[in-house]
Amino acid sequence: MMLALLASGLALIMAAPLSAQTSDLDAPAVSAEPNETVAAAGPALQPIDQRVAAAWGFDKTDLQADPNVHFGVLANGMRYAIRRNQTPPETAVMRMLVDVGSTAEAEDERGLAHFVEHMAFNGTTNVPEGEMVKILERLGLAFGADTNAFTSYDQTGYLLDLPNVRPDTVDSALFLLRETASEISFDADAIDRERGIILSEMRTRANYAQRNRESLFNFTVPETLIATRSPIGDKAVIETAPAARFRSFYERFYTPARTTLIIVGDVDVAAVEAMVIARFADWQAKRGETPTPSLGRIDLARTDAVNIFTHPAIDEVATVMRFSPFVDQPDTSANRREKLLLALAYNIVGRRLGRIARQEDAPFVGASIGRSDVYRIANQSVLNVGTRDGEWQRGVAAAEREVRAALKFGFTEAEVAEQLANFTTGYENAVRGNQTRPNDSLANQLMGMAKDRMIVTTPESQLARYMAFRGEITPKRLLKALRKDFGTLDAPLIHLSTKADITGGADEVRTAWRDARRVAVRRPAARSAAAFAYRDFGAPGAIVEDNLIEDLGIRTIRFANNVRLNLKQTDFDKNRVLASLRIDGGNLLASRDKPEATSLMNIFVRGGLEAHSLDDLYSIFAGRTVSLNFGSGEDYLGGYLATTPDDLALQMQVLAAFTTHPGYRTEALNQYRSYLPNFYARLNATPAGAIGSQIGAILSDNDPRFSLAERAVFEKLTFDDLRSAINDRLERGAIEIGLVGDFDSDAAIAAVAATFGALPEREVEFRAYGETRDRHFTQNRSPRVLYHKGESDQAIVEYYWPTTDDSNYQEDVRLRLLAELLQIKVTDEIRENLGASYSPSARSFTSSIYPGYGYIQISTNVESNDVDRVSAAIRRIAAELSEPLPPADAPPRALAINPDEMARARTPILESIANSVKNNTSWLGIVDAAQSKPERLDRFRSGGTAFGKVSTDDLLTLARKYLAPERALVVQSLFDAKSDGTTLAARAADVAANR
């Protein structure tokens, strides 16, 4: 079955959002206005100092910045922005951005921008090597989840999510950011230890997709640093660059004038500003300001050229583009109006392309159109077309005709009205929810402003500008804007990725494009939206039970037809409601005889409704906040989604319609089948693909429910198979609905009563599914060696120890804490001490579905020659933790778990639990099944208490129970053995000998 694996790939072409569509493939984003910050009521407009205005770009705009953000600039040139925000309360985020990336590197510095980012965590003037992450963990930040960094072509960022805003936490975070900004040590030994980690990250990224990107860049922008300065860098530089070269790069580019600090959270703005000034005001550039190197040039006159990239695992995609001069436009009201026109126009073309991709026998699986700038060197107009293998000519021709028709004939009033309805709702929802935007969202908008000078304004002002301009928006005006912006694709550059060589090579591709351009285009047929056909489900259901779980504030209701409803009102997120629908069944409907019974639930929504196709629904729901999410979970049919109070009743109607009148339209099935060749071609193209496609079978002794079937099995599936598997559950299965957020209880109850409450009587309880809940962990501990066809130096090592399910909460808590401890140990040993892996991981999985089933897993990417060394380190860690208790008279030995490790494992968990009650998503996790799974309520009530009670001895006892070396199942993913003559049996024997 392997539903999760298959679903993750299907998301590329099977996503079904109700927002305005650009395509079914990724495309350059075109926004009407930036997603801006929230305006909290209160602050009056304050005059902005001229120096601050110049630093932040206010001197070049007529837009008024959000008064809730305090902007500043220090005398040394460092910018900062601070905003008080209480979503979630008592937390904050910090973002430090440095305007330097890989394009600032000299030839012998390729990769140093990224390497410097790593070295920030490896010793500074006042923080010893290896201590920065430990300090953050002690404060409650989890490495990776709350502590992160990035390096791009033109920027480096350091991101901290503070779980609390205690003075010591805020001050420590600012201290560490200042250490990063100016005090990195670049100890030669520390650099040498980090080289292996960088090389591991380079190996992990190296695959056919990266080579395709490199081929695209070398073809389209060969005279720019974009083509030669990938942030990951050059292997020779990473292996040999001396400490002095690091220090030179750092001192030239890590300067106050290039740095911006953003702080958003539940803080006193004036107090935090004083702390920022105290920490950063004395920072001075050590070498003055170094100009950023020129990024190069793009030949605008270059046309009619073709590049072909082939690889057995690559998707067939044509990228058609032309370049035009870059025009620098300040962020003004007038320019935002032009961007709005373009957003509307591109969205309409995207809707048309998406509609074609969803047709029977569609010529392409997805297409997109857009225009963007290439790092301010030039603008690019791009058409992307994804096709089935060997059908690139047909797909490119169809997409080209559709774009040319739009450029020639323009748009209909109905198409414009649909987009205006969507945009109006978006602006209005932003205003209604502006008081509860989360910290990270606000910080992201300020990061965009810091980089691109896009002024952060209030949602109210955005809506006002939009409404003032809306009446002037016409089809003719959109067409004029699109023609001016996109231009034409008469003799474009074409990059084609395919699995096999094109017989006629570049000439064949060039000829195919010219032939397509010669075909006359017709005016697209006008379309109109029908009324939604599913408004009346019968007499509203009567309530027969109505109770309140007082300490949790959860109201539980049962209707006469046995449908259950659970409600939790919160004010965490204004104008937003999270909903869950759980109908008895889900993946438990799959059996060993019919393991793919629910596989097609991945495209259930794509099949539309009996009265409406998916495209019909997009038009019908224009301007409404309705989610289409109806799939299969482990033990339920339905989904988890978001809507607004105004559209909650409609959302319930949509879910009830999919429950009672699913469409099962064959166009969805055709799309599903068109994706399968690419999915199966990629399975062994990387180490992760090889393991991901086979681990279910390995762990389950080839139980077909958890094993990936042959491609032919999925190609034969029909909607009749799905209908026979789920129809009984849709018609009679127990139903439980959860609602969390900002809603009126009476209105919400009425919405459910009129839909699900009006259905015929349902079963009272969710079925037990005793037989299909049987899942065991393999008893076969022989090592498994899998082979991939990716890069020869890539490998993955995984260890699995069987544990248990989640029914015993104390055991579950201890297993989670043990996994967090293992994460710290494998990070310290494999990443920091050995420098052998970029991202080793440990986790505990305890099933809530399959009794007795669970495991602890350690997984890490490694260099092929490091497999044995890393395996030995994992075995050593597990052996030390699981070592039997020594005799009473034995001499003392080193602690297997020291107090600091315990604190670093436990504190982030406790902070995460404390903050979980401050967001709707966590609440929905218990509200969704508050009546059918009441035992989860007590776990939620306990908060972090259970974790606080776990002792070191408790974890060691658990480790002795589960982590004994002989209990481990070892799985390795290695480069295809045929290439070096090593046999599978020989390699497995080596692994077994080293267990």
Side-chain angles (χ1 to χ4, degrees), residues 235 258 370 614 686 790 912:
K235 184 178 181 182
R258 288 178 175 270
L614 183 62
T686 64
S912 175

Side-chain angles (χ1 to χ4, degrees), residues 926-937:
I926 63 162
V927 170
D928 62 349
Q931 295 186 62
S932 61
K933 299 181 179 181
E935 68 279 1
R936 294 187 347 196
L937 301 179

Side-chain angles (χ1 to χ4, degrees), residues 481-617:
L482 181 65
R483 285 173 173 171
K484 178 182 177 182
D485 190 68
F486 189 78
T488 62
L489 296 173
D490 294 327
L493 306 180
I494 303 176
H495 172 84
L496 178 63
S497 62
T498 68
K499 290 184 175 63
D501 290 331
I502 305 299
T503 303
D507 287 339
E508 181 178 340
V509 176
R510 195 179 291 110
T511 300
W513 180 260
R514 290 171 182 165
D515 290 344
R517 296 281 294 177
R518 293 190 185 101
V519 177
V521 294
R522 294 177 296 178
R523 183 184 297 274
R527 298 171 59 90
S528 58
F532 189 49
Y534 303 100
R535 299 278 189 178
D536 187 358
F537 294 86
I543 296 174
V544 295
E545 290 183 17
D546 189 346
N547 300 297
L548 178 66
I549 304 174
E550 294 187 7
D551 64 319
L552 298 176
I554 299 174
R555 186 175 175 185
T556 63
I557 287 171
R558 185 168 65 87
F559 293 96
N561 65 350
N562 295 318
V563 168
R564 296 161 169 172
L565 170 64
N566 311 315
L567 307 99
K568 168 70 179 179
Q569 291 175 288
T570 73
D571 58 2
F572 302 137
D573 201 349
K574 292 293 185 183
N575 196 49
R576 188 173 174 86
V577 183
L578 299 187
S580 63
L581 169 64
R582 297 172 58 87
I583 302 174
D584 178 48
N587 296 347
L588 287 175
L589 296 173
S591 65
R592 288 179 173 85
D593 293 333
K594 295 183 177 180
E596 287 78 37
T598 58
S599 294
L600 292 184
M601 285 302 296
N602 292 320
I603 59 168
F604 182 73
V605 166
R606 287 272 163 176
L609 297 168
E610 289 177 353
H612 307 299
S613 70
L614 183 62
D615 279 300
D616 292 336
L617 295 176

Side-chain angles (χ1 to χ4, degrees), residues 340-386:
L340 173 59
L341 294 175
L342 291 171
L344 293 165
Y346 282 115
N347 281 356
I348 293 172
V349 179
R351 281 282 282 121
R352 291 181 180 179
L353 293 171
R355 186 178 298 118
I356 293 172
R358 288 183 285 272
Q359 292 174 353
E360 290 274 6
D361 192 29
F364 47 77
V365 298
S368 65
I369 176 178
R371 199 209 69 159
S372 61
D373 73 89
V374 183
Y375 290 90
R376 304 172 70 85
I377 307 171
N379 289 329
Q380 59 177 349
S381 298
V382 181
L383 169 64
N384 282 309
V385 187

Side-chain angles (χ1 to χ4, degrees), residues 403-448:
V403 171
R404 187 152 43 93
L407 289 167
K408 181 175 182 178
F409 298 110
F411 313 115
T412 68
E413 293 284 356
E415 287 176 315
V416 176
E418 177 180 319
Q419 293 303 317
L420 289 175
N422 287 332
F423 274 72
T424 301
T425 299
Y427 285 121
E428 290 175 343
N429 285 343
V431 171
R432 295 186 183 114
N434 68 352
Q435 298 297 323
T436 52
R437 288 280 297 282
N439 293 334
D440 56 353
S441 177
L442 296 172
N444 288 342
Q445 309 321 313
L446 288 167
M447 289 170 67

Side-chain angles (χ1 to χ4, degrees), residues 614-631:
L614 183 62
D615 279 300
D616 292 336
L617 295 176
Y618 286 151
S619 297
I620 290 169
F621 298 140
R624 308 301 293 270
T625 308
V626 175
S627 299
L628 297 184
N629 184 15
F630 201 116

